[in-house]
Structure formats: structure tokens, C-alpha cells
Amino acid sequence: MSANAGRLDWVDMAKGLSIFLVVMMYAASSVGEDTGGVGALHWAIAFATPFRMPEFFLISGLFLSQVIDRPWRAYADRRVVHYLYFYALWALIHIIFKVGLLATNPVGALEQIAWAVVQPYGVLWFIYLLAAVSAATKLLHDLRVPAWAIFGVAAILQMAPIHTGSYLVDQFAEYFVFFYAGYVLAPQLFRLAYWAAEHAAIALLGLAIWAVVNGALVFSPGFAMHPIHPVMGYAGLPGLHLALALAGSAALCVSAALLTRLPWMNWLRWMGSKSLIIYVAFVLPMGIARTVLIALGLDEPTLLSLLTMAVAIVSPLVLYWIVQHIGFGKFLFERPAWAHLPGTRGSRPNPDATAASPAE
């Protein structure tokens, strides 16, 4: 396998680890909310709390350098409109299904749809925020703001106790630094992953040391396990939280590079290549599965969380497979031509321009 191919493999593997942890967190916390119980997955999520979402943002910024110098129209189509399309589509689906149909509250559904324009909706906040941080990074790049200054301010925002009441503003302050880190530190992260794949024994030793340190700081005095959200110990302190998030993100990159050496783990790499499909569509089947399983009398937190997580991950992939085979509904996971900015790759051709141009 070439270096380049290996690097692409590890990126997909890292995405697979990230989406696995995210769905695990939502499955465990939702089970905890419904049952009041705590299972094994709650402890796994507590360990991953410092780096679970930061890793997702960092990976999303890795290839930004390939498009950051493009004109605004092309860049926005690829990095802003792309995410906003899936956010808008799936926010409508979630709200109409949960509020309009299940809760039989069409007026409430309309209100939530209106709010979703300015206040990221539910689990889809990540998709909304990717559009926001992508636009901000391009603007700062075009203004020639030094990378060290951006990173420094972003780090301060992450460490500061920002609670404005706007979920968009608060989450931007919390996670922009990790997206930007993925962008500016991409060469170092790719070198780290390639090195890890070539030096597995030393990389495993480094991961073991990191795991001990991360666990010790998460479960240190001040830690509290709750059914919905665990509270970190010293790992939650400003500055230390940021350092652990970056270290944990790097550790997941190393783990992903090592996992590419194991052919039987290719399922996780493939799942990572479909991470956006899983992310936008896992919530509804997760809620249905959890409700049905509880109604059937299953209330043991660990088993209930595992089954709920399995359904939440597999269901979007099954839906994607069905859509691909019947040819209807591709707009759910693929952006149609009308959802591209005019004149960009994938958009509808200009009829006037086509008529005036010779055939190629």
C-alpha cells in the first residue's frame, strides 16, 4: 500500500472511530435519561469525553488546505453549502417526524423549523457548525491573519467560560480551535500517522502511556458519573481540557493508523467513509429502538445501550443501501444539482452557456 493510500485509509479509520464514539455517547446518554441507569458504555464515554467531539472537528479540517485558496463560490459550495444542505434537509425530517407527527404538534414543528435557522437543531448542530467554522477559516485566511494569532485566540475562546445563550456562538467558541488545528497541523498529523504505521510497537507504548494519563485525569477528584453526562475531574480544567483534547485527537489518529494494519478492521474504515450518512440519520432509529426495547422490558443499561447503538449505526447504512439500489431518495445522502451554487462542480449547466459553446 502506498503512503498516500495508507494515509487516506487511516483518515477513514479515524472517522470510523469518531462516529462510533459519537453514536455510543448519544445511545448511552439517552438510555441513561430514560432509565436512570449507568452501564459500561457510560464509563467508556467518560474516558473519551476530552477528545470525542474535538477529534471529529480536527479530522474535518485535515484536507482544508486543498480547497482554502479556491474562489469563494467554489469554496462555499464545497465547504459551506454542502453542510447546510444536509443540515436543512435532515432538520426538516427530524422536526416533522418527531414534533409534527409523533407529537401531533404542527404549530410547534413550524416554530422549531424557524428556530433551526439560527439555533442549531439537536444532534445536527455539528453539521451546522462545520459550515460556520469552514466559512470563518476561509475569511481569516483571505484576510491574511497569521495562523499563530488565530490559533491563540481560538484557544483562549475554548478555555474561556463562554455562555451567551446562543448555542451556535457557544459551540463555535468551544470547537473552532480543533477544526483550525486540523487545518494548520495537517502535515504533522499525516507524518505522525505514517510514522505510527511503520513503528507499531513504539506507537502502542505511547498510546498506553496516553491512556493512563488521560484516564487518571478524567477520573481524578471531581469526577462524577451521571446517567446522561459524566463530569470530568481535573481533565475538565481550562487549559488542561484543551491539551487533553489535542492529545486525545492525536492518539485517535495514531490508533487509526495502527488499525489499518488489521484487514479484519476494514469494516470500521468503511463505516468511517460513510460517517456523514450515519451522523445525519442515526437519531430517529436510535429513538425508536430504545423505546421499543424498553417497552419489551429490557432495562439493563449496558445491554440496552449496546443494542440501541447497533441499531442506530446499522439503520442509516441499510437505508443508504436501499436508496442506492432502488434509485429513489438519493437526495437524502447526495446533494442534487440544484443544491449546488451556480457555476460550481456538480451544479446544473447553464443552458445559455451550453448553447453558445461548441460540443466537447
Side-chain angles (χ1 to χ4, degrees):
M1 179 182 295
S2 69
N4 286 338
R7 292 176 181 181
L8 290 175
D9 283 347
W10 79 257
V11 170
D12 280 338
M13 193 72 80
K15 290 180 180 180
L17 289 169
S18 297
I19 193 64
F20 194 82
L21 287 173
V22 168
V23 177
M24 181 190 296
M25 185 274 292
Y26 279 106
S29 62
S30 63
V31 166
E33 184 176 12
D34 283 355
T35 67
V38 171
L41 266 61
H42 286 81
W43 292 96
I45 288 302
F47 174 85
T49 298
F51 58 86
R52 185 190 65 252
M53 288 310 298
E55 162 71 8
F56 229 154
F57 280 97
L58 182 140
I59 291 295
S60 298
L62 276 181
F63 296 102
L64 198 67
S65 61
Q66 297 181 3
V67 297
I68 195 75
D69 288 316
R70 293 181 182 179
W72 260 103
R73 181 188 294 269
Y75 178 87
D77 182 75
R78 177 81 174 271
R79 281 286 183 162
V80 181
V81 176
H82 178 75
Y83 293 122
L84 291 180
Y85 167 78
F86 289 108
Y87 169 77
L89 172 65
W90 283 93
L92 282 173
I93 293 172
H94 287 187
I95 294 171
I96 291 172
F97 182 81
K98 292 195 292 185
V99 183
L101 298 178
L102 291 184
T104 61
N105 184 7
V107 175
L110 290 175
E111 291 176 351
Q112 290 203 22
I113 289 171
W115 270 111
V117 176
V118 294
Q119 194 78 318
Y121 179 79
V123 68
L124 296 172
W125 70 269
F126 172 71
I127 308 296
Y128 191 117
L129 199 59
L130 278 181
V133 295
S134 296
T137 303
K138 170 65 171 173
L139 178 62
L140 293 168
H141 173 78
D142 286 357
L143 292 174
R144 300 292 187 267
V145 181
W148 62 265
I150 298 173
F151 192 85
V153 172
I156 292 172
L157 289 175
Q158 196 280 331
M159 292 185 285
I162 296 177
H163 305 287
T164 65
S166 167
Y167 198 66
L168 174 60
V169 173
D170 295 350
Q171 295 298 82
F172 184 96
E174 175 71 20
Y175 291 108
F176 176 65
V177 65
F178 304 113
F179 180 81
Y180 196 76
Y183 163 50
V184 297
L185 299 178
Q188 290 77 16
L189 290 168
F190 273 94
R191 283 198 293 270
L192 175 64
Y194 183 69
W195 174 87
E198 297 295 318
H199 302 83
I202 301 176
L204 285 170
L205 176 61
L207 285 176
I209 295 172
W210 160 78
V212 170
V213 173
N214 183 82
L217 291 171
V218 168
F219 300 115
S220 58
F223 172 80
M225 175 57 76
H226 297 297
I228 302 177
H229 295 296
V231 177
M232 294 183 289
Y234 295 147
L237 295 175
L240 188 54
H241 184 193
L242 173 61
L244 286 176
L246 292 173
S249 297
L252 251 71
C253 292
V254 170
S255 301
L258 293 176
L259 288 173
T260 60
R261 297 163 55 99
L262 306 175
W264 55 273
M265 288 299 294
N266 276 339
W267 64 270
L268 185 61
R269 178 192 57 76
W270 179 83
M271 193 174 81
S273 71
K274 304 294 185 289
S275 59
L276 182 61
I277 291 168
I278 297 172
Y279 195 96
V280 297
F282 81 87
V283 171
L284 295 180
M286 181 184 73
I288 294 171
R290 185 182 68 253
T291 302
V292 170
L293 289 170
I294 292 175
L296 292 175
L298 180 60
D299 58 3
E300 198 285 314
T302 298
L303 182 57
L304 180 56
S305 297
L306 282 170
L307 292 176
T308 300
M309 180 180 69
V311 172
I313 290 176
V314 172
S315 296
L317 298 174
V318 171
L319 176 60
Y320 176 75
W321 180 85
I322 292 172
V323 164
Q324 294 301 308
H325 279 73
I326 67 175
F328 175 76
K330 290 187 176 182
F331 68 91
L332 293 171
F333 305 112
E334 299 174 16
R335 198 163 36 126
W338 62 262
H340 287 263
L341 293 178
T344 60
R345 183 179 181 181
S347 63
R348 289 172 175 167
N350 186 327
D352 297 331
T354 302
S357 302
E360 297 181 350

